[in-house]
Amino acid sequence: MRIRKLGVVGAGTMGSGIAALAASAGVPVVLLDIPSEGKDRNAAARAGVERAKKAKPAAFMDPDRASAIEIGNTEDDLEKLAACDLVVEAIIEQVEPKRALYERLEKMLPDHTIVASNTSGIPMQMLTKGRSASFKARFLGMHFFNPPRYLHLLEIIPTPDTSKETAEAARRFSDRILGKGIVVAKDVPGFVANRLGVYGMVLAIRMMEKHGLTIDEADVLTGVLTGRSKSATFRTADLSGIDVIGHVTKGLSETTGEDFSLSQWVLDLVKAGNVGEKSGAGFYKRVGKEIHTLDWTTGEYKPQTKPDNPELARLAKLPLTKRFAVIRDWTGREGSFVREYLLRFSHYVLATTPAIAYDIASVDHAIEWGYAWEAGPFKQMDLLGADFLRKGFAELGLDEPPLLRLAVNGFYSADGVHVLSLTGGYEDIPREPGVIRLAELKSPGNRARHVLEDSADASLIDGGSGVAVLEFHSKMNTLGAGVIDMVHRSLDRVERDGLAGLVIGNEDPRTFTAGADLSMVLGLIQAGDWKKLEEAVRTFQNTSLRIRQSPFPVVAAPFGLTLGGGCEFSLYADRVQAHAELYMGLVEVGVGLIPAGGGTTELLFRFASELLPYAEDDPFEAVKRAFNLIAMATTSTSALEARKLGFLRASDRITMNRDRLIADASARVTDLASDYTPPLPRTIVALGKEAIGNLKYGVWSMREAGQITEHEVRIASELAYILAGGDGPPRRVTEQDILDLEREAFLRLLGTKETQERMAYTLKTGKPLRN
């Protein structure tokens, strides 16, 4: 069955977040909450939507998508759920209210509607007591993680009564439409992620107390340093709500018989109402512009003091493999804490996994996707090594769990393709069908067959079905000379081998590309090699043009940070298959430049072409739109916003699930390949002097108001000159005419002291300079 409409009952943080995600994906939603007192009985549901619209980080990918949510209350509007194909319950974490709701739902929902609980840890079979066999067959757990838009994990918890069709429909919808990474968990308390994640949180508190650390110190040591999320332990608890953590730990203690109890000083925080971010204070508290941290020994808040240890700073910059190599032999107070914390957590994972999960890979996925770890616990145990674990367990008086005895060759094979089975031996890592994983294609066993071209900065990979994939792997995937060379080699290879086409994409978790390599540019300036600089800019422009003019389709697959030259390459691709989380922009003005890889030209021509069907429209609107987008360094906050801004066209598509992005882009190439012809060159009428005057009027107004600096006036004036096609009368121009103006302006700005200062400052600090 297809899920076309979603119902959500409970408009709290999770319910409204789930509704916002679904609406962002284009799914109509009915959102209900309990009736409110007063005239507006839907006030609770309405407040949930408004809270989601104001949430930071944003819950909606486009605030306009809030119009896809129909609100109501559970007394007057429950029948609205009858039009839904899936109803997700996200009400209070108590068994009886959930059971009472299901009893009402069973009476009015059609036979095909799936019912799911978003409970964070209550076993499903406890919730369906008293329900019919038909209801149980359509019921399962769907545990989202907060915030639903950003955390990839969705735990699906079928019961023995859940029908195969129900589980498959929920899985397909969650994967393809909502973009979730699916982990199928056993129907046990806490499922996978929270059973392990909450234990890790409780353990960190206990280890902090044992080793006499502060909260600030513990968060540094249980954060990025050890492959965990930036929010580490105590910041994560503040974001989740310490009261929620207390409720979950109490429930896990009762249902598992294990000791998840929180220390009394933590319970005292909850009693005092200091439950984290939502109350204004928890383990941390904001005082004016400062962050204060709780001194857990006295209950007082003091200004935050992170450890002043050069070794920690050095260690944090190392790759995870090297960090863990150091951790194995780390001594001193901090080292003792980290070693014992990792050993006790690893022991718990090894002992508990067979009871909560169907395979080892699911455990790692659950923690990586749900808690934003760099590598899951079994991958981290491979980094620590079996000998370290055995010796450490013995020193702590812990037994050797059976899973560790089975892992004679580690938990994962060296090629990353196989994983230890829970019953012994090795099996293929479970994969969703249709997913292309570049790392696997480049693994030692596959490399000879799949890597077509390779360099230190990029690789061309045979992705199957006649489609090649160009993957950047320079630092931040920046576009230096090595990457540009590989683009041309890749285009040559695709044409020579008669392949269907090319995808430009990669598997970096955060960055498609940060744009041009500024350090290379600054180095040429300092060397005074202006001839080579001009040649480099011309080559970059020609690379964009070649992407556009190749005799086969080129599809860009951008995601995450897609800045400067990465945005320009995407603009020049035949199609873009973007991930929903797309932060795309032409941000060159931040370093005192204008886009000169074709971005200025393409936006001008694109926006002018969009106005052609409307003879009455003012052509200056296209110029102004491009000017504002570039001058303000506007960056999209999602792919939906990128489409509104004009970085994406109506023909470009959006993939919700990051894991499927390369495969979806490859499918676009295949769609286009059979009858592909390159686009014809375009011309437009450049508006000349009059357009420059209009743009400069706005620039000088901002300067008079003190909103921009003198150098920013210079940058804006150069941009205006390009977009107007020069300062002469209106004339018809080609793309090459505007590209030439781009290049000349770029080089003039490079010659200014202010732009060079901006570039150097950004390279040093990662931040823009206003000078």
Side-chain angles (χ1 to χ4, degrees):
M1 66 168 286
R2 287 191 175 275
I3 295 171
R4 292 176 289 268
K5 190 170 186 177
L6 176 69
V8 179
V9 183
T13 300
M14 285 304 302
S16 61
I18 294 166
L21 173 64
S24 296
V27 178
V29 180
V30 174
L31 177 63
L32 306 182
D33 207 309
I34 57 174
S36 302
E37 295 181 3
K39 292 182 179 179
D40 185 4
R41 288 173 61 80
N42 300 335
R46 194 183 313 282
V49 174
E50 290 304 312
R51 186 168 54 249
K53 287 165 70 174
K54 296 173 184 176
K56 291 183 180 180
F60 286 97
M61 295 178 182
D62 176 359
D64 290 347
R65 291 294 175 100
S67 62
I69 300 177
E70 179 183 5
I71 62 170
N73 68 76
T74 52
E75 280 190 14
D76 306 328
D77 304 301
L78 203 65
E79 69 279 358
K80 291 181 178 179
L81 299 176
C84 299
D85 304 297
L86 168 65
V87 175
V88 175
E89 166 268 303
I91 66 172
I92 189 170
E93 276 291 88
Q94 294 177 15
V95 172
E96 289 308 320
K98 292 178 187 289
R99 286 179 179 170
L101 174 63
Y102 302 155
E103 183 177 6
R104 295 178 64 199
L105 291 176
E106 183 171 11
K107 294 174 182 176
M108 46 78 58
L109 291 180
D111 290 340
H112 76 276
T113 300
I114 297 169
V115 179
S117 177
N118 180 55
T119 175
S120 59
I122 302 173
M124 297 302 116
Q125 293 186 81
M126 289 179 64
L127 299 178
T128 55
K129 185 178 180 181
R131 302 278 56 80
S132 68
S134 173
F135 184 91
K136 290 178 179 179
R138 294 180 284 118
F139 183 87
L140 77 171
M142 291 178 66
H143 179 212
F144 293 81
F145 279 69
N146 191 38
R149 171 180 168 181
Y150 299 98
L151 288 182
H152 191 44
L153 177 63
L154 175 71
E155 290 179 311
I156 287 185
I157 309 100
T159 74
D161 299 312
T162 305
S163 72
K164 182 179 178 181
E165 294 77 15
T166 293
E168 181 54 34
R171 184 171 188 148
R172 186 172 58 248
F173 173 75
S174 304
D175 172 355
R176 293 309 311 244
I177 306 302
L178 299 185
K180 290 296 167 189
I182 308 299
V183 166
V184 179
K186 291 184 178 180
D187 189 18
V188 295
F191 316 129
V192 178
N194 276 353
R195 181 72 166 269
L196 301 179
V198 172
Y199 173 82
M201 191 173 289
V202 172
L203 176 65
I205 295 171
R206 293 173 182 174
M207 292 298 98
M208 177 186 72
E209 294 169 345
K210 178 179 178 179
H211 291 271
L213 269 61
T214 66
I215 285 175
D216 286 326
E217 289 172 328
D219 259 0
V220 167
L221 298 174
T222 61
V224 174
L225 190 75
T226 46
R228 274 73 173 155
S229 71
K230 287 183 179 179
S231 56
T233 298
F234 295 96
R235 176 62 180 150
T236 297
D238 271 1
L239 291 171
S240 302
I242 304 172
D243 54 337
V244 174
I245 301 297
H247 186 81
V248 171
T249 53
K250 183 173 183 291
L252 285 172
S253 293
E254 292 171 351
T255 53
T256 65
E258 299 172 9
D259 182 11
F260 282 86
S261 62
L262 292 171
S263 301
Q264 186 58 49
W265 63 269
V266 179
L267 298 176
D268 289 343
L269 282 176
V270 177
K271 188 176 180 181
N274 294 330
V275 295
E277 184 90 352
K278 60 189 175 185
S279 69
F283 296 118
Y284 295 99
K285 179 170 75 170
R286 186 175 293 278
V287 179
K289 294 184 178 181
E290 290 187 343
I291 300 295
H292 286 207
T293 309
L294 180 75
D295 180 339
W296 62 269
T297 63
T298 66
E300 298 175 354
Y301 289 93
K302 299 176 181 178
Q304 187 174 40
T305 53
K306 294 184 178 180
D308 184 19
N309 185 337
E311 176 63 14
L312 289 179
R314 185 191 70 81
L315 194 56
K317 294 178 182 178
L318 295 175
L320 189 65
T321 52
K322 293 185 178 180
R323 265 179 271 157
F324 271 67
V326 173
I327 284 170
R328 285 197 298 266
D329 301 315
W330 199 3
T331 57
R333 179 165 151 271
E334 292 160 337
S336 297
F337 167 86
V338 170
R339 285 160 54 89
E340 183 170 358
Y341 169 73
L342 289 176
L343 284 165
R344 290 191 181 277
F345 184 76
S346 297
H347 189 274
Y348 185 79
V349 171
L350 287 165
T352 309
T353 288
I356 63 176
Y358 292 102
D359 56 78
I360 280 172
S362 291
V363 171
D364 277 351
H365 287 153
I367 299 299
E368 289 164 1
W369 296 342
Y371 282 81
W373 282 27
E374 188 175 348
F378 283 99
K379 292 175 185 173
Q380 292 196 359
M381 282 187 258
D382 272 347
L383 294 179
L384 291 169
D387 290 342
F388 171 83
L389 294 172
R390 290 191 184 96
K391 181 183 177 184
F393 292 162
E395 289 174 352
L396 293 171
L398 302 171
D399 65 351
E400 182 179 345
L403 264 184
L404 184 58
R405 290 196 293 272
L406 291 173
V408 291
N409 295 311
F411 296 103
Y412 288 89
S413 60
D415 60 9
V417 176
H418 300 98
V419 65
L420 179 71
S421 165
L422 294 180
T423 56
Y426 289 82
E427 60 190 7
D428 289 345
I429 295 174
R431 299 294 189 210
E432 292 288 343
V435 173
I436 295 174
R437 296 193 181 277
L438 301 180
E440 286 186 10
L441 297 179
K442 295 190 301 179
S443 65
N446 294 322
R447 188 175 185 82
R449 287 179 292 130
H450 289 282
V451 178
L452 304 176
E453 301 279 346
D454 200 21
S455 77
D457 298 311
S459 302
L460 183 68
I461 303 160
D462 180 356
S465 303
V467 179
V469 182
L470 174 59
E471 177 191 41
F472 310 145
H473 40 73
S474 53
K475 184 179 180 181
M476 292 286 286
N477 297 323
T478 50
L479 307 175
V483 170
I484 299 299
D485 177 64
M486 273 298 296
V487 174
H488 288 278
R489 284 171 58 185
S490 298
L491 294 170
D492 289 341
R493 182 67 181 264
V494 171
E495 185 171 3
R496 185 172 74 244
D497 291 0
L499 299 178
L502 178 69
V503 168
I504 301 176
N506 64 71
E507 291 180 334
D508 187 281
R510 287 172 289 277
T511 305
F512 177 66
T513 167
D517 184 353
L518 286 181
S519 60
M520 179 195 75
V521 175
L522 200 56
L524 290 173
I525 292 172
Q526 291 166 348
D529 198 340
W530 290 95
K531 184 177 180 181
K532 194 168 183 178
L533 263 172
E534 181 173 7
E535 181 185 327
V537 180
R538 192 186 300 273
T539 299
F540 205 111
Q541 290 183 334
N542 289 338
T543 305
S544 295
L545 287 174
R546 207 175 158 205
I547 289 170
R548 169 72 52 81
Q549 296 167 355
S550 290
F552 48 81
V554 177
V555 174
F559 60 89
L561 283 179
T562 302
L563 305 176
C567 177
E568 290 173 308
F569 281 1
S570 299
L571 290 172
Y572 274 80
D574 292 289
R575 294 290 187 276
V576 174
Q577 185 75 38
H579 182 231
E581 296 297 342
L582 179 66
Y583 316 128
M584 176 179 273
L586 295 170
V587 296
E588 286 83 351
V589 296
V591 289
L593 296 167
I594 52 91
T600 305
T601 300
E602 174 58 24
L603 287 188
L604 175 63
F605 273 73
R606 179 176 294 190
F607 296 160
S609 297
E610 289 176 3
L611 293 179
L612 287 177
Y614 311 101
E616 69 280 3
D617 280 357
D618 183 356
F620 179 68
E621 290 301 315
V623 176
K624 185 170 73 172
R625 185 181 177 193
F627 180 86
N628 288 337
L629 204 56
I630 297 169
M632 301 304 292
T634 305
T635 302
S636 68
T637 58
S638 68
L640 290 177
E641 188 181 17
R643 180 173 282 156
K644 277 186 170 182
L645 293 172
F647 292 130
L648 300 186
R649 300 155 292 194
S651 58
D652 295 326
R653 293 183 186 169
I654 297 171
T655 295
M656 288 294 289
N657 193 330
R658 175 77 170 80
D659 298 335
R660 295 188 175 275
L661 183 60
I662 298 294
D664 287 351
S666 296
R668 295 303 306 278
V669 169
T670 303
D671 289 344
L672 294 168
S674 61
D675 57 355
Y676 179 79
T677 56
L680 294 170
R682 299 168 293 175
T683 63
I684 60 168
V685 174
L687 301 181
K689 196 173 205 174
E690 184 177 348
I692 292 178
N694 288 338
L695 292 174
K696 282 192 171 181
Y697 177 80
V699 171
W700 280 110
S701 296
M702 293 180 71
R703 176 62 183 142
E704 288 295 311
Q707 296 172 332
I708 59 176
T709 68
E710 192 66 38
H711 189 56
E712 285 164 341
V713 172
R714 168 78 185 270
I715 299 166
S717 299
E718 293 283 8
L719 178 59
Y721 188 86
I722 300 164
L723 293 171
D727 60 0
R731 62 186 178 113
R732 186 160 291 278
V733 295
T734 66
E735 291 175 78
Q736 190 60 56
D737 291 330
I738 306 301
L739 285 169
D740 291 342
L741 294 177
E742 260 191 17
R743 186 176 62 257
E744 293 161 6
F746 186 86
L747 292 167
R748 282 194 297 271
L749 288 168
L750 278 180
T752 65
K753 175 176 66 73
E754 292 84 358
T755 286
Q756 293 171 24
E757 288 172 348
R758 287 188 175 209
M759 293 172 65
Y761 184 84
T762 297
L763 282 170
K764 183 179 179 179
T765 68
K767 299 176 182 179
L769 172 68
R770 298 285 302 276
N771 62 347

